[in-house]
Amino acid sequence: MIINNLKKIRSTISAAICFYLLVSSVASLAQQNFDDVEINVLHVQGNIYMLVGEGGNITLQAGDQGVLLVDTMYAPLSDKVFAAIRTISDKPITYILNTHGHPDHIGGNANLAMMGSNIAGGNTIDLFAGTGEQAKIVAHENVVTNILAQDNPIPIEGWPTDTYYTAKKDLFFNGEAIMIIHQPNAHTDGDSLIFFRRSDVISTGDIFTTTGYPFIDAANGGTLQGILNALNNVLDMAVPADRQENGTMIIPGHGRLTDEADVLDYRDMLTIIRDRIAYRVDQGDSLSQVKATEPTFDYDVRYGADSGFWTTEQFVEAIYNELSAQ
Amino acid sequence: MKKFNHSKFCLLLILVIALPAQAQIDLSGEWAAVFHEDSDERRPGPEMVEYQGIPITEAARRRALSWSPSLLTLPEHQCKPHPSDYGSRGPSNMRIWKEINSESQQLIAYHTRIRWQAPERTIWMDGRDHPPEYAAHTWQGFSTGHWEGSILVVRTTHLKQGWARRNGVPRSDLAEFTEHFFRHDNIMTQVVIVNDPVYLTEPFIRTNNWRIDLTQQIPPYLCETVTEIDRPQGEVPHYLPGQNPFLREHAERYNLPMDGVLGGAETMYPSFVE
Ligand SMILES: [Zn+2]
């Protein structure tokens, strides 16, 4: 199954290009200096905190039973992340949930899974009875496939220990129901939304960011339509509070803390861009003709990029390819 | 001859030193909106493709041209309040009240409540910092104020994406704005200066006025969403490029040139009319 997937991934040229980008970004990471990175902690609401540094945002849920993390940033940041966690809770790290398999979200899995239990000690060690003393790492099973497809995968200690292949998986931890909901073929094919029902917080992973157009990782099964479906699901789950402020808080994969209205604007934008490109595709336009219509022009100053890992051009191309294949 | 009283002198000295602070004017009270300025835009509302007088970028113009009012029928859009840089333009009967530290009697904050959608806003007066960039943005944003003589100057950051005019002209979530509140007896004037690095080429300046109203009662306001039109999940009303059916309607009704109604910094200045 995994081998088949790998063959499929490597058989297409576009996949190869994406793969190269991913590999080169991982390679540049190796040289990236994390010395100056600070990990900032923001209390969101209820039991939930957001950790902001370099790479994907971390969601932290803390309570009597222990610490649960959603994503883990890059491996070189683990000491700083751990120090930040200890400003909130001295309990062991019991769970790590991964929104998807990209290195900027799972890089610290191994370090933090081990650290939590090693440091806990004392009477809290009992909490780990029967769990192998290492935090459980929960993710959709496709995250494993995605990790396997990476040229420079994270160490095996950081791979998911508990995968699910169904539409969702439930947890109850620190007195709170937590829903892990698979979002098929969105940012990747292994995306999960994490919904903390009592604290009323949703962690989206890279299905939603406030920093740029979404990276459609086509090589790993990502599609714009899947991202749109996922954003629509977030809108269905989120309820704004009085005067439309706050209510369900939403932690994006990258960028600032948000609520429903921010996701709404992002969903509207992506839907409008999709409709514009779909219209041109229906008219029989080529990719260069579509690009000439500047379908993202009115959003580029806010979300576009001319250089770097994911440019506006790549974004438009990915949508064009997806829509022309239909 | 009376003996020189040091403590009284000291008190007098403190009062004199504190005098600039006394130039502050209390803004609390019930304020009735005065609509003589930009009345057509503010009460019936702007028309489609009426962007004149706003220093918008080409990106803002194209985005506004793709905006369909049907967007507001989507449940998630129905109860949005005006963002605080626009609130005074709508039905803006307003209450302003003070929050005072009961020990020190220092002003901690001004609070405001506007009638339509009942947005409540806090203007912190205690010298606190604005939140970090990764904190949430809200409709009303995060506001801090200070006095410049008798003028209250307010800076607002952390805004949600909003609108420069309520006909689809966007204002981004990276925008910030400054307000100056002047009170002359029973009239209050607010000057709003919006800076938006995404959708404006120059600061966008507007003024709004209120008259004190000792009998004003602001009623409760509850907004509940309803399904106005049954649509498939994820459908977003908008006009495709070049297909806005209202493109020329406003220009033709008032016999205005298209390059005027499409806005831009040049349309703010009298020289444009000449
Ligand atoms: Zn990612």
Side-chain angles (χ1 to χ4, degrees):
Chain A
M1 163 89 177
I2 285 165
I3 304 290
N4 281 345
N5 274 345
L6 274 175
K7 275 184 187 157
K8 210 162 63 189
I9 286 162
R10 286 176 176 155
S11 67
T12 67
I13 292 166
S14 70
I17 293 167
C18 261
F19 191 72
Y20 166 75
L21 284 167
L22 203 64
V23 168
S24 57
S25 80
V26 168
S28 71
L29 263 178
Q31 287 122 38
Q32 198 173 336
N33 187 346
F34 291 99
D35 291 352
D36 295 336
V37 176
E38 266 180 60
I39 306 296
N40 294 297
V41 176
L42 184 70
H43 181 225
V44 177
Q45 62 190 9
N47 289 340
I48 308 295
Y49 298 77
M50 171 172 151
L51 273 55
V52 184
E54 190 73 32
N57 291 327
I58 292 177
T59 303
L60 183 152
Q61 186 230 35
D64 289 341
Q65 279 184 287
V67 170
L68 176 149
L69 301 177
V70 178
D71 293 345
T72 54
M73 288 187 199
Y74 293 115
L77 290 171
S78 294
D79 284 336
K80 289 181 186 176
V81 169
F82 192 69
I85 293 168
R86 283 292 173 254
T87 66
I88 303 163
S89 169
D90 58 4
K91 301 279 185 189
I93 299 167
T94 309
Y95 281 107
I96 291 171
L97 316 185
N98 286 142
T99 57
H100 64 292
H102 283 153
D104 57 330
H105 288 257
I106 64 169
N109 273 10
N111 293 341
L112 290 163
M114 305 305 284
M115 271 180 192
S117 53
N118 290 344
I119 306 288
N123 51 13
T124 55
I125 208 81
D126 291 348
L127 289 170
F128 288 95
T131 66
E133 285 197 36
Q134 189 199 316
K136 287 187 177 195
I137 303 173
V138 184
H140 189 270
E141 70 167 2
N142 288 347
V143 167
V144 179
T145 322
N146 298 160
I147 291 172
L148 276 168
Q150 289 162 14
D151 219 29
N152 201 355
I154 58 166
I156 195 155
E157 294 79 16
W159 292 20
T161 58
D162 289 35
T163 57
Y164 73 102
Y165 62 93
T166 44
K168 66 179 173 59
K169 179 182 171 75
D170 295 341
L171 275 184
F172 192 84
F173 190 60
N174 288 324
E176 172 157 53
I178 302 163
M179 298 176 73
I180 305 163
I181 312 165
H182 180 48
Q183 305 298 309
N185 302 95
H187 172 58
T188 66
D189 59 7
D191 294 317
S192 298
L193 291 174
I194 318 291
F195 184 21
F196 297 91
R197 291 209 322 207
R198 188 164 158 205
S199 299
D200 200 8
V201 175
I202 301 169
S203 193
T204 65
D206 286 352
I207 283 161
F208 173 55
T209 76
T210 66
T211 51
Y213 293 126
F215 170 38
I216 305 163
D217 186 358
N220 283 307
T223 64
L224 176 69
Q225 192 52 52
I227 292 172
L228 282 171
N229 295 342
L231 292 170
N232 287 319
N233 290 340
V234 172
L235 294 179
D236 283 349
M237 287 151 67
V239 181
D242 214 15
R243 302 175 181 91
Q244 303 292 292
E245 303 278 29
N246 307 320
T248 308
M249 297 308 289
I250 296 156
I251 300 179
H254 298 262
R256 65 172 170 82
L257 183 61
T258 63
D259 63 23
E260 187 191 56
D262 300 290
V263 177
L264 181 66
D265 287 333
Y266 199 74
R267 187 283 308 260
D268 289 357
M269 167 182 75
L270 295 182
T271 307
I272 289 168
I273 290 171
R274 178 204 61 189
D275 290 355
R276 287 174 183 171
I277 296 175
Y279 176 74
R280 303 311 316 186
V281 168
D282 283 351
Q283 302 293 304
D285 283 7
S286 67
L287 174 60
S288 61
Q289 283 172 316
V290 169
K291 281 183 181 171
T293 66
E294 302 179 305
T296 60
F297 182 88
D298 36 352
Y299 300 99
D300 285 346
V301 180
R302 176 67 180 81
Y303 294 105
D306 294 330
S307 60
F309 170 60
W310 183 243
T311 63
T312 304
E313 241 186 298
Q314 288 172 296
F315 173 61
V316 171
E317 258 175 61
I319 302 173
Y320 178 85
N321 291 338
E322 181 180 328
L323 293 171
S324 349
Q326 283 168 6
Chain B
M1 192 182 136
K2 249 181 152 182
K3 213 175 124 190
F4 181 72
N5 186 325
H6 282 273
S7 61
K8 274 188 184 160
F9 176 75
C10 256
L11 189 68
L12 193 70
L13 198 68
I14 288 167
L15 283 174
V16 169
I17 290 166
L19 211 61
Q22 291 194 335
Q24 297 169 11
I25 288 186
D26 186 20
L27 302 175
S28 319
E30 297 284 344
W31 294 95
V34 177
F35 282 96
H36 64 260
E37 190 178 349
D38 299 334
S39 176
D40 284 352
E41 181 199 326
R42 294 173 61 188
R43 286 207 276 198
E47 300 191 348
M48 293 290 285
V49 196
E50 180 187 359
Y51 312 149
Q52 56 267 48
I54 315 179
I56 51 174
T57 62
E58 175 60 17
R61 183 176 297 115
R62 288 203 209 170
R63 213 179 136 184
L65 286 169
S66 81
W67 184 81
S68 161
S70 288
L71 185 72
L72 302 177
T73 63
L74 297 182
E76 295 89 353
H77 281 280
Q78 285 171 17
C79 288
K80 294 187 301 187
H82 284 311
S84 52
D85 54 329
Y86 193 94
S88 315
R89 300 253 102 191
S92 56
N93 288 28
M94 176 162 64
R95 177 184 307 132
I96 301 181
W97 69 102
K98 287 193 286 195
E99 185 178 336
I100 301 275
N101 180 311
S102 66
E103 299 300 322
S104 68
Q105 287 298 296
Q106 292 292 305
L107 179 61
I108 296 169
Y110 271 116
H111 297 282
T112 70
R113 181 187 170 102
I114 280 178
R115 181 178 169 170
W116 186 76
Q117 299 284 17
E120 286 193 357
R121 184 178 171 205
T122 301
I123 299 165
W124 297 103
M125 299 297 294
D126 56 359
R128 70 181 63 196
D129 290 332
H130 283 241
E133 59 176 344
Y134 47 85
H137 288 211
T138 58
W139 288 106
Q140 302 310 308
F142 190 91
S143 303
T144 52
H146 69 273
W147 295 99
E148 290 179 9
S150 61
I151 302 165
L152 176 66
V153 180
V154 180
R155 175 174 167 251
T156 301
T157 62
H158 292 74
L159 289 160
K160 277 200 191 303
Q161 179 180 281
W163 38 93
R165 188 170 279 167
R166 57 191 158 103
N167 55 1
V169 181
R171 193 268 291 134
S172 87
D173 64 337
L174 302 183
E176 298 184 3
F177 72 99
T178 306
E179 288 157 287
H180 292 75
F181 286 92
F182 305 79
R183 179 174 182 165
H184 295 288
D185 204 1
N186 288 334
I187 297 290
M188 182 172 65
T189 299
Q190 172 207 33
V191 180
V192 184
I193 306 168
V194 183
N195 283 288
D196 183 351
V198 179
Y199 288 126
L200 294 177
T201 59
E202 290 182 24
F204 180 34
I205 306 171
R206 282 171 295 203
T207 54
N208 304 292
N209 297 286
W210 290 264
R211 179 178 285 115
I212 201 99
D213 183 348
L214 300 177
T215 61
Q216 176 171 283
Q217 300 272 340
I218 295 182
Y221 198 104
L222 289 173
C223 185
E224 204 178 301
T225 59
V226 293
T227 303
E228 292 185 10
I229 297 167
D230 200 10
R231 292 188 170 94
Q233 189 203 42
E235 194 176 289
V236 177
H238 65 95
Y239 299 123
L240 289 167
Q243 296 187 17
N244 187 322
F246 304 103
L247 179 65
R248 293 174 190 285
E249 188 185 69
H250 173 71
E252 282 169 3
R253 180 175 298 159
Y254 297 96
N255 201 20
L256 297 168
M258 276 311 289
D259 60 342
V261 301
L262 288 173
E266 61 281 9
T267 65
M268 294 196 297
Y269 300 107
S271 52
F272 184 79
V273 182
E274 286 155 16

